[in-house]
Amino acid sequence: MSFPIVHHPAYCATLPDGHRFPMDKFRAVAEILRADGDLLNGTFFKPRVAPFEWLALAHDPAYVDAVLDCRVPDRIARDIGFPMKPDVALRARCATAGTVLTGYLALSYGMAANTAGGSHHARRKQGAGFCVFNDVAVAIRVMQADGVIDRALVIDLDVHQGDGTAEIFTGDPSVFTLSLHAEKNYPMQKVPSSLDVALPDGLDDEGYLEALAPAMEKAFSAGPFDIVFFNAGVDPWEGDRLGRLSLTREGLLRRNRIVIDRVRRQGLPIAGVLGGGYSTDISELAERHAGLHRTMAQALRQEGRSSAAKQSQLIRF
């Protein structure tokens, strides 16, 4: 069984040799999904380029203008970690639009996933931490402005705290932000989410999952919600270059399945975004990220088998 997957070739921009950010992972994830016929039924959904009006719903218009015109001050460019040039700006706009499209597809199909997104360090007035625009925040604001959703839940399981998302939605009861992250990792100055769960260095699969379950229950108790955005960062993995936790590959997949199953039991659409993941081995990293899409497909197959079994029982009786 398949579900909508969003991708754009512009998700990959050119960075200087030796740059820490593994930009080629987005291309590699798309290649993995193309090769797996069970995951990608036909082709990717391709987003448009995000217009200024969308971006300015979550970001200061002056900052949006500066990015689009490639005149971001050097200080802010250093905070972001990217040279602010046309293909980097285009990449940020396309990845953001991809998450907007993912949100709308999730409303229509029940679940959808981007092959990028999760730029949760971008705040209202500037980007930071390899994040130019906060794609999830923009998507929520666009969907609210269009009147298709009222309230949203953000489940952010990147190893780094979602400070930008928290800052953009501070004081806004229409968005609940949950962040499960390594306490001592970047950013050093956290911005309070609706619910933060700060984890100790070296936490393993079982400790992580024990912390996740009650956190999700607290988040859902703040509902009702119309949609869930799931930041499925894979940097909690024990071998990640920028992580401080010790989840196994199997632990990441279990985490994904717990989130997806819980959201589906709630009867809510779920929009998945990649989040962080850092490695010099792009193939290994892309396989880690593709776990989001594979877990979504597995959940659909399981739901299909359960539905078929129920229909069979009805026929017999």
Side-chain angles (χ1 to χ4, degrees):
M1 300 181 71
S2 61
F3 61 97
I5 300 176
V6 177
H7 181 70
H8 195 294
Y11 285 177
C12 283
T14 302
L15 296 178
D17 291 341
H19 197 282
R20 287 197 307 161
F21 187 80
M23 187 68 76
D24 286 341
K25 71 179 184 178
F26 303 110
R27 183 182 299 110
V29 169
E31 289 171 355
I32 288 171
L33 300 181
R34 284 194 188 97
D36 191 335
D38 290 337
L39 277 174
L40 188 64
N41 183 14
T43 189
F44 293 112
F45 286 77
K46 184 178 178 182
R48 59 180 293 196
V49 177
F52 170 90
E53 290 78 13
W54 286 6
L55 302 170
L57 289 173
H59 293 288
D60 187 301
Y63 171 66
V64 176
D65 269 334
V67 173
L68 271 51
D69 294 342
C70 296
R71 52 177 180 80
V72 172
D74 290 343
R75 176 188 61 80
I76 294 177
R78 285 193 297 271
D79 287 347
I80 294 171
F82 292 148
M84 294 311 301
K85 53 196 183 73
D87 66 332
V88 171
L90 177 63
R91 180 206 171 274
R93 296 175 72 183
C94 289
T96 300
T99 298
V100 175
L101 179 56
T102 300
Y104 278 93
L105 290 169
L107 288 185
S108 297
Y109 292 86
M111 70 169 65
N114 200 353
T115 59
S119 296
H120 61 170
H121 298 308
R123 302 188 183 191
R124 177 162 180 79
K125 291 189 175 182
Q126 72 162 81
F130 305 138
C131 303
V132 179
F133 297 128
N134 193 310
D135 56 292
V136 168
V138 172
I140 291 171
R141 288 303 191 218
V142 169
M143 298 175 80
Q144 287 177 329
D146 282 349
V148 297
I149 65 168
D150 291 319
R151 301 192 73 231
L153 168 61
V154 180
I155 299 177
D156 189 338
L157 303 188
D158 192 283
V159 80
H160 306 99
Q161 197 243 4
D163 60 319
T165 312
E167 189 250 18
I168 289 171
F169 294 122
T170 293
D172 183 350
S174 73
V175 181
F176 190 98
T177 54
L178 165 63
S179 178
L180 220 74
H181 54 269
E183 181 178 13
K184 295 180 180 178
N185 212 326
Y186 177 93
M188 294 303 104
Q189 296 295 323
K190 310 293 195 284
V191 177
S193 307
S194 304
L195 175 60
D196 284 302
V197 180
L199 305 171
D201 285 4
L203 191 69
D204 63 8
D205 292 350
E206 298 309 317
Y208 186 96
L209 298 178
E210 286 176 7
L212 174 61
M216 284 200 301
E217 293 311 310
K218 287 183 181 179
F220 280 111
S221 70
F225 301 105
D226 301 305
I227 191 169
V228 176
F229 282 87
F230 173 31
N231 182 336
V234 296
D235 40 11
W237 181 55
E238 59 192 349
D240 193 90
R241 292 178 68 194
L242 300 184
R244 300 178 71 109
L245 302 182
S246 296
L247 273 68
T248 63
R249 293 275 294 272
E250 177 60 30
L252 289 173
L253 294 175
R254 288 171 62 193
R255 175 203 70 176
N256 292 350
R257 189 60 189 268
I258 287 170
V259 172
I260 293 165
D261 286 351
R262 183 65 182 84
V263 173
R264 299 288 282 180
R265 288 200 307 273
Q266 198 75 17
L268 293 173
I270 180 169
V273 296
L274 249 58
Y278 304 90
S279 174
T280 56
D281 185 342
I282 297 298
S283 296
E284 178 278 323
L285 177 55
E287 286 287 342
R288 247 191 291 159
H289 277 303
L292 167 65
H293 309 83
R294 288 174 172 150
T295 311
M296 283 185 159
Q298 290 167 1
L300 275 180
R301 284 194 292 269
Q302 182 62 45
E303 289 175 11
R305 286 193 291 268
S306 298
S307 177
K310 290 177 182 178
Q311 290 178 358
S312 176
Q313 290 175 346
L314 289 173
I315 290 171
R316 285 200 300 270
F317 293 103

